[in-house]
Amino acid sequence: MERIVYNLKGKKKKNNLKNLLRLMAFFCIITLIYWVSNLYLKVEQIEITGNHNIKTEFIEEKLSYLKDKNILTIRPKLIEKSLINSLPFKEVKVSLKLPNTVIVKVTERDVKAAIPFNTDFLLLDAYGNVIKIDSDIKNYSVPIITGIAIKQAEIGKMPIIQDEQTVYTNTLYVLNEILPILNQIAEIHVEKGNDGTDFYIYTIDGIKICFNQNRLKPENLTMIANILEDIRKNNRGKGEIDLNQDIPVFRPY
């Protein structure tokens, strides 16, 4: 019987060569895909919707790093987080539209107050961040905060105060406590006193609410809505509500 001898070494060399060729082909395909995607899938357009107070150009500036970037390398969640952290947005949704468009849908935070700054006004959210800088606030039914001098302001951040920053912090606390009656408030005047921060709040119909931050009983602040309702219901007219007392006191003019 004739003996058959297999050339195992030669067969192994052929298999290694085939594997090497497959690997080279794979890398060639990957390189081709990467080259084609970089050539045809570059971000060329950013569509922004939902913004009313913050200009589109300002948001585009924040996203300028996306231009000419491969759209397949973009991570929408990271963009959403970045915009929420840098601008006063309540919500941001980012989606990709092939071949080269990034769609950004934003929901802005509501304007809660305005504060004079040079010849303009800073429009603020409830956290004290600047939403917009505008010279005309006729379209915003929000109280004006007076008595605080602004040193520097930037959209998306808290303004820098010329006086102690704690005065601004105290004002934000009061602002959030009176949110339920904010549409009734015309002005929140703030003064730095010898013993804490003094507040003088004026309603649209001419009622004055005054208190010192350190002498105020927190529960008195929450009673303002009921006190105002009682004053108006009983036609007590204009006057001053003193919240520094154990029980709020109304003094008619």
Side-chain angles (χ1 to χ4, degrees):
M1 183 176 183
E2 185 179 351
R3 186 177 179 184
I4 301 175
V5 179
Y6 292 94
N7 189 351
L8 297 178
K9 190 174 181 180
K11 186 176 182 180
K12 187 176 181 180
K13 285 184 178 180
K14 288 182 179 180
N15 288 336
N16 288 341
L17 182 59
K18 288 181 179 179
N19 291 334
L20 180 61
L21 291 173
R22 289 194 187 101
L23 188 61
M24 290 176 63
F26 174 77
F27 280 115
C28 287
I29 292 171
I30 294 297
T31 302
L32 181 62
I33 291 174
Y34 178 79
W35 181 79
V36 171
S37 63
N38 278 339
L39 185 63
Y40 295 103
L41 297 178
K42 287 183 179 180
V43 174
E44 296 179 0
Q45 186 175 3
I46 300 175
E47 293 181 2
I48 300 171
T49 61
N51 57 309
H52 303 287
N53 297 313
I54 301 178
K55 293 181 179 179
T56 299
E57 294 81 6
F58 190 82
I59 305 173
E60 287 177 338
E61 183 181 341
K62 292 286 185 180
L63 299 174
S64 59
Y65 67 94
L66 294 176
K67 285 294 181 70
D68 294 331
K69 193 173 182 180
N70 188 329
I71 198 170
L72 298 179
T73 65
I74 291 175
R75 299 175 65 181
K77 292 296 180 184
L78 291 181
I79 300 173
E80 293 169 3
K81 185 177 180 180
S82 174
L83 285 177
I84 287 178
N85 288 338
S86 61
L87 293 174
F89 291 136
K90 187 186 300 181
E91 186 179 22
V92 178
K93 292 292 183 183
V94 176
S95 58
L96 308 177
K97 182 180 178 182
L98 296 176
N100 46 35
T101 303
V102 176
I103 300 173
V104 181
K105 184 177 181 181
V106 303
T107 303
E108 295 178 341
R109 294 176 188 165
D110 297 328
V111 176
K112 297 298 183 184
I115 187 168
F117 176 56
N118 296 331
T119 57
D120 297 317
F121 288 91
L122 305 181
L123 300 177
L124 309 173
D125 63 14
Y127 302 95
N129 298 308
V130 179
I131 294 179
K132 186 179 182 181
I133 302 176
D134 203 335
S135 59
D136 186 5
I137 58 170
K138 292 179 182 178
N139 295 327
Y140 301 94
S141 300
V142 294
I144 298 175
I145 299 173
T146 59
I148 297 179
I150 305 297
K151 183 178 180 180
Q152 184 178 337
E154 183 179 344
I155 292 177
K157 297 182 179 179
M158 280 191 182
I160 298 175
I161 312 302
Q162 289 185 5
D163 209 334
E164 295 180 11
Q165 197 75 16
T166 53
V167 174
Y168 190 65
T169 304
N170 292 338
T171 304
L172 293 180
Y173 167 77
V174 172
L175 179 67
N176 280 274
E177 288 295 311
I178 64 173
L179 283 179
I181 60 165
L182 210 58
N183 61 340
Q184 303 177 39
I185 305 301
E187 179 185 355
I188 302 173
H189 182 70
V190 183
E191 292 183 3
K192 183 185 176 184
N194 295 326
D195 181 24
T197 308
D198 294 318
F199 286 90
Y200 304 90
I201 301 175
Y202 299 89
T203 65
I204 294 173
D205 54 353
I207 298 174
K208 179 181 178 181
I209 305 163
C210 59
F211 57 90
N212 177 277
Q213 180 74 21
N214 290 335
R215 296 199 298 271
L216 171 73
K217 291 182 177 297
E219 59 269 23
N220 286 354
L221 201 56
T222 60
M223 293 171 61
I224 291 180
N226 292 333
I227 296 170
L228 290 173
E229 184 180 358
D230 179 73
I231 292 171
R232 292 161 182 154
K233 183 177 180 181
N234 293 285
N235 297 317
R236 298 187 181 184
K238 298 179 181 180
E240 177 182 291
I241 303 173
D242 185 356
L243 298 182
N244 285 329
Q245 312 302 319
D246 290 337
I247 299 176
V249 177
F250 176 70
R251 303 186 184 95
Y253 293 142

